[in-house]
Amino acid sequence: MTYAYLFKYIIIGDTGVGKSCLLLQFTDKRFQPVHDLTIGVEFGARMVNIDGKQIKLQIWDTAGQESFRSITRSYYRGAAGALLVYDITRRETFNHLTSWLEDARQHSSSNMVIMLIGNKSDLESRRDVKREEGEAFAREHGLIFMETSAKTACNVEEAFINTAKEIYRKIQQGLFDVHNEANGIKIGPQQCISTSVGPSASQRNSSEIGSNSGCC
Amino acid sequence: MMRGHETKPASSGTGEEAPGGMAECPLVPAYPTGRLGRLQRHLLSGEFDQLRDFPIFESNFVQVTRLGEVANKVTMGVAASSPALELPDLLLLAGPAKDNGCLQLFGLFPLQFVQLFVHDESRWQLKVKFRTGRAFYLQLRAPAETRDREFGRWVRLLYRLRFHSAGGAVPFTQEYSTVEDGEDDQDDDTIEREEQDLKAGSLQAMEARLDPQTSELWGL
Ligand SMILES: Nc1nc2c(ncn2[C@@H]2O[C@H](COP(=O)(O)OP(=O)(O)OP(=O)(O)O)[C@@H](O)[C@H]2O)c(=O)[nH]1
Ligand SMILES: [Mg+2]
C-alpha cells in the first residue's frame, strides 16, 4: 500500500485512561471492556486521507504503568504526534499531565504535535474533571484538545485525524523537516520528494534532496 | 498480547495467502536478505527507524490453544536494544496484517516482564507469559529437517534468560506475587508443572542436548 507520508504517533498517559482502547477503536472500530494492561509498546497502523493525500499513521501505544515508564520513554523519540490522554472520571490522571508532558518534551522533537485527550466522555455522571479545565491546560501548554469516548467512538476519528492535519499543516508551512528522521515523518516509498514537500522544499539543501530520493 | 490478534482462527483475514508463508510486502527493499528473517526484513523496510539496527533472533510460529488447536500465524523474535548487551532484552511479536496479509509488528515487550516456557517439546510448543498474567502458546513452524535445532535455540535462550534474571534485579520468581489482574486461574496448573519440570533438573539434560555452535547471536 502506498502513501505520501508516514507519521509516527505515540499515545501516552496514566494506566487505565483508555489509550489502548482509543487505538483499538481507531484501527478496528471495536471497544474492549476489559483492561489488558499494556507492557512495553503495542502497535497499530491505519491510513488516513488528509487533503487528498494518503497518510499512514504508525501508532505506538505505550504502557502507562509507572514500572514500565522508564522503558517506554525511550520510544518517544522520533514521534511526529502524541496523544496525551487522561480520564475525565479520575482527577489524578489529569494531575499527572504535567509530568507526562515534561517527559514527552524531553524525549522527542520540539515540533511534535500534541493532542490532549480527555477520554471516557460517555461517563458524564462520573465526571471529575471539567471540560474547561482540559481546555485551559491545553491552551496554557500549546496543545490541541478534545474529549473522546473510546467506548462510543465519539471524537476518536477526529482526535487521530486532527493531529495528522496539524502535522500536515506544519509540513506545508515548512516547520517540519521531513528529511530528518527525528521528526517522525517519512516520505512514502513511491513519492517524488522534490514535488511534495511544500514551500520549504526549495530552501532545503539540494544535495540532501538528491541523495535522499530514489525516484525523480 | 495484542488483543484482536489473539485467539482468532486462521481463517479470518489470512485466507488467500500461499500455504506456509505470509504475503511478502511489496515495500521491502532489496536488501541482501540471505539469512535475515522476515521480521528483521520488516524492520529494515524503513518504517521503524528505531528498531532497524537491533540484532534479532526470530522464528515463525502458529499460535495454538492450550490444547494445540491452530489459530493465527505469529513471528516472534527477541532483540537486543543495544549491541553491547549480553542477552536480548526485548520480545517482538508480529503477524499478518488483517487487510493485506503483510507482516505487521504488533508489539514490543521488555523481556524482564515476559517469561518463556517450553510447553510441549514434542510438538515444538512454547508458552509465552506476560507479567500481567496474559499467556499464549506458540508452535514453531519450520522445515522438518531444522525444526529440532531451531526449537533447541529457543529452549537454550529461555534457560539463559532465566539464569540471567535469577541474578538480576527482577527475578522471575517474583512473578506470582506481582500478577496484576489476578485472572490467571486456569493457567496455574500448567505453569506449576512447567516450573517443576524445570526445577527437577531437566535443564541440564536439555542443555546437554543442544547443539552448542550454530547461531552467532548470543551463542544460541
Ligand atoms: N466507559 C468507558 N470506559 C473506557 C473508555 N476507554 C477505556 N475504557 C475502559 O478503561 C479501562 C482501561 O482501558 P485501556 O485502554 O486498557 O487503558 P490504557 O490507558 O491502555 O492502560 P495501560 O495499558 O495500563 O497504560 C478498560 O477497562 C476500558 O474498557 C471509554 O471511553 N469509556
Ligand atoms: Mg494499554
Side-chain angles (χ1 to χ4, degrees):
Chain A
M1 239 181 305
T2 59
Y3 49 83
Y5 295 106
L6 179 144
F7 296 164
K8 172 178 170 177
Y9 278 20
I10 52 172
I11 313 183
I12 58 176
D14 275 12
T15 181
V17 297
K19 298 182 294 298
S20 300
C21 287
L22 285 165
L23 176 58
L24 191 69
Q25 185 59 256
F26 181 63
T27 56
D28 287 38
K29 307 205 181 331
R30 285 194 293 127
F31 176 66
Q32 158 76 266
V34 188
H35 183 195
D36 273 335
L37 202 78
T38 303
I39 294 180
V41 182
E42 295 185 21
F43 297 91
R46 206 187 110 178
M47 290 288 189
V48 296
N49 191 298
I50 308 287
D51 225 19
K53 288 241 184 321
Q54 283 290 97
I55 292 177
K56 180 171 181 173
L57 303 183
Q58 179 195 78
I59 305 151
W60 299 48
D61 167 30
T62 67
Q65 224 202 32
E66 191 58 41
S67 47
F68 307 128
R69 196 157 159 184
S70 60
I71 294 168
T72 49
R73 217 180 258 145
S74 57
Y75 299 104
Y76 292 4
R77 192 156 49 87
L83 307 188
L84 169 57
V85 187
Y86 67 95
D87 176 346
I88 65 154
T89 71
R90 279 162 57 216
R91 175 155 297 270
E92 75 270 20
T93 66
F94 181 76
N95 294 341
H96 294 156
L97 288 176
T98 325
S99 122
W100 285 108
L101 197 57
E102 268 169 26
D103 253 21
R105 298 255 199 241
Q106 203 167 22
H107 295 270
S108 55
S109 139
S110 56
N111 283 321
M112 184 168 74
V113 171
I114 304 176
M115 165 74 78
L116 178 65
I117 293 181
N119 187 41
K120 310 201 186 178
S121 63
D122 57 294
L123 300 176
E124 190 55 48
S125 60
R126 286 167 46 192
R127 181 187 281 276
D128 199 15
V129 182
K130 288 201 212 79
R131 170 181 248 290
E132 294 72 32
E133 296 177 83
E135 282 167 351
F137 186 94
R139 211 176 314 117
E140 189 183 332
H141 295 90
L143 320 176
I144 327 174
F145 175 69
M146 292 192 105
E147 283 194 350
T148 61
S149 167
K151 186 173 179 183
T152 67
C154 175
N155 273 344
V156 173
E157 289 274 312
E158 289 80 355
F160 283 89
I161 289 172
N162 291 353
T163 307
K165 282 184 182 158
E166 180 61 16
I167 297 168
Y168 188 72
R169 197 182 60 80
K170 283 193 169 187
I171 293 175
Q172 291 203 305
Q173 290 182 343
L175 294 171
F176 257 130
D177 178 358
V178 294
H179 301 279
N180 182 348
E181 291 185 346
N183 280 327
I185 296 167
K186 286 179 170 297
I187 295 172
Q190 89 300 358
Q191 202 69 11
C192 296
I193 292 171
S194 55
T195 60
S196 62
V197 183
S200 69
S202 52
Q203 294 155 22
R204 228 168 288 290
N205 163 340
S206 59
S207 70
E208 182 195 315
I209 291 172
S211 65
N212 226 330
S213 166
C215 54
C216 311
Chain B
M1 197 171 80
M2 36 306 155
R3 48 178 86 104
H5 304 286
E6 217 157 2
T7 43
K8 285 245 183 76
S11 58
S12 73
T14 54
E16 322 91 283
E17 66 192 69
M22 286 167 228
E24 286 300 328
C25 258
L27 302 184
V28 175
Y31 276 88
T33 53
R35 297 192 55 244
L36 296 184
R38 53 164 65 107
L39 177 56
Q40 183 130 44
R41 270 181 283 151
H42 177 58
L43 297 180
L44 279 170
S45 73
E47 291 189 358
F48 289 94
D49 286 334
Q50 274 172 291
L51 315 180
R52 191 168 47 196
D53 303 321
F54 288 0
I56 294 177
F57 168 64
E58 62 169 270
S59 294
N60 296 311
F61 294 86
V62 282
Q63 185 174 358
V64 293
T65 65
R66 189 137 71 114
L67 301 174
E69 292 155 55
V70 173
N72 44 307
K73 286 177 183 165
V74 174
T75 299
M76 177 166 76
V78 291
S81 58
S82 152
L85 287 174
E86 218 176 298
L87 278 175
D89 60 340
L90 296 173
L91 182 81
L92 302 173
L93 291 170
K98 258 171 280 145
D99 44 358
N100 57 11
C102 280
L103 192 73
Q104 186 188 14
L105 185 61
F106 292 150
L108 170 164
F109 312 94
L111 270 170
Q112 67 189 108
F113 303 118
V114 183
Q115 272 179 297
L116 298 173
F117 299 96
V118 174
H119 179 60
D120 184 341
E121 199 187 359
S122 66
R123 282 185 277 176
W124 309 279
Q125 288 174 355
L126 297 174
K127 172 174 178 165
V128 183
K129 186 166 189 284
F130 289 163
R131 272 280 210 84
T132 52
R134 272 192 284 173
F136 52 95
Y137 303 89
L138 297 177
Q139 177 171 321
L140 184 68
R141 222 153 44 88
E145 319 86 73
T146 57
R147 208 181 288 148
D148 282 329
R149 183 147 41 108
E150 194 166 338
F151 192 73
R153 288 185 188 162
W154 281 97
V155 176
R156 175 179 285 265
L157 172 77
L158 71 91
Y159 288 126
R160 291 195 55 190
L161 289 170
R162 201 169 282 234
F163 286 134
H164 183 74
S165 71
V170 193
F172 282 137
T173 47
Q174 272 184 5
E175 187 209 18
Y176 300 105
S177 52
T178 55
V179 164
E180 243 105 5
D181 53 7
E183 47 107 273
D184 197 33
D185 44 88
Q186 29 125 292
D187 268 321
D188 276 352
D189 49 348
T190 329
I191 296 169
E192 248 131 62
R193 210 190 58 231
E194 284 158 356
E195 292 269 74
Q196 275 155 16
D197 283 355
L198 186 68
K199 287 183 191 120
S202 64
L203 102 209
Q204 279 99 337
M206 192 70 81
E207 285 275 275
R209 255 180 288 143
L210 293 168
D211 180 355
Q213 19 123 326
T214 48
S215 164
E216 59 265 40
L217 269 182
W218 308 297
L220 295 177

